[in-house]
Amino acid sequence: MEKMMVGLSLALSAIVWGQKGPVKTNLTPYSYQTFNCDNKGYFDASKYEIEEIDGVNKLLYKFNGVHFDTNPIFKLSSLEEVRRNKDQHLENLERQYQEKKEELYSLKVINQPVWKKLYENAIQTFENEYELNKEEIIAFSDPSTLRNSKFYETCRESIDAISSPDREKMFASWKAYTELKSKNNADPQGVMNRFDLKMNDPQKEDYALIDMIGLSFHNCANSSFRQRRDDEGTVYKDFDRIFTKLKKNCDEP
């Protein structure tokens, strides 16, 4: 009987020692700001590195939007200035590009499909925005350069009108674009009245270029590489799910 009890005791000991202990998590505090909230939570350092968390954070809240500080052209005086100082504008754009590219391309992100895709999209958007800004600066001085645009196949109709030596073709396209835009305006007749004033102005060609390059072409090209808003909302929620005990301190809207 004593031998049986000793054997049973050894067997139970073997079972206990053979069982794995509880999985330990290394919870690390992390704070980040969203558009109107201060967020504090914890992430599992056994799954993620702080550099990966920081990289995704920057993709969502720093590299998601307009990357370059450029002056939109809405007035004749602005058009004349960008033509007069074209080289300076191009140099400024290039300087911003190199500075931001170094940071963006050196980011480390979480090795999961959703974040790798987000990173790829951010790089593509960044490169496309740079190219679009450069093309516009040059085109305001020489509209024919848009025939070689990266976005030609996407925005063929606008580009063909802008770059055509037949100015009447551009004016017709300008009027059609303005009429379409006026339908979504609270004062459609007011939009067309302002168009008529520009159309009868001695500098009507410049007015046409402002709208056709800065609005028609820009909006067409820009919409071709921007991420859809529905997709954006999902990744923000995915980022929040990385953290446990997440607390949000939000400003009132």
Side-chain angles (χ1 to χ4, degrees), residues 222-249:
N222 190 60
S223 64
S224 72
F225 59 79
R226 291 293 178 188
Q227 190 174 4
R228 286 168 39 188
R229 288 291 177 184
D230 292 346
D231 296 336
E232 288 182 357
T234 301
V235 292
Y236 290 118
K237 294 176 182 177
D238 289 340
F239 185 64
D240 287 346
R241 291 191 189 100
I242 291 173
F243 306 98
T244 59
K245 303 178 182 178
L246 183 62
K247 292 183 178 180
K248 294 175 176 284
N249 182 16

Side-chain angles (χ1 to χ4, degrees), residues 35-90:
F35 301 111
N36 64 333
C37 300
D38 291 325
N39 305 274
K40 293 182 180 180
Y42 296 83
F43 70 91
D44 187 349
S46 66
K47 294 181 179 180
Y48 312 109
E49 297 178 12
I50 186 68
E51 293 83 4
E52 295 175 332
I53 301 289
D54 284 339
V56 173
N57 187 6
K58 287 183 178 180
L59 286 181
L60 288 172
Y61 297 105
K62 183 174 183 178
F63 288 101
N64 184 24
V66 176
H67 297 95
F68 299 97
D69 182 16
T70 57
N71 296 321
I73 309 300
F74 295 126
K75 300 185 296 183
L76 290 178
S77 58
S78 299
L79 177 62
E80 292 166 359
E81 192 278 331
V82 80
R83 285 172 172 170
R84 186 169 58 250
N85 301 306
K86 181 184 69 174
D87 291 342
Q88 292 179 15
H89 283 279
L90 290 173

